[in-house]
Amino acid sequence: MELSLSVVLLLAIVLVVMIRGGSIKPGPAIVAALFGFFLAASGMAPSINRFLESVLRTINDISI
């Protein structure tokens, strides 16, 4: 749960910075947020979560 909250917070910060910087307008940002909200409620959500967890585990396992 901590990881998903951190990702949500990071994406929210990126979205706010993009809106304030003029990179993205509020209308498309709202559409993207709604798309993510409805995608999370769909049957694809568990597969997406497994994929993201796998990517994050892989990144975490990389040692320099």
Side-chain angles (χ1 to χ4, degrees):
M1 188 60 150
E2 298 160 4
L3 179 62
S4 63
L5 181 59
S6 298
V7 171
V8 169
L9 183 60
L10 175 67
L11 291 175
I13 291 169
V14 168
L15 183 61
V16 168
V17 168
M18 289 179 73
I19 290 172
R20 292 178 66 78
S23 298
I24 188 171
K25 301 221 183 270
I30 291 171
V31 170
L34 287 173
F35 174 74
F37 177 77
F38 288 114
L39 184 62
S42 73
M44 291 180 60
S47 299
I48 294 169
N49 281 334
R50 281 193 301 271
F51 171 73
L52 290 176
E53 287 173 1
S54 173
V55 168
L56 291 174
R57 265 189 263 117
T58 302
I59 291 171
N60 192 30
D61 291 341
I62 295 173
S63 60
I64 299 175

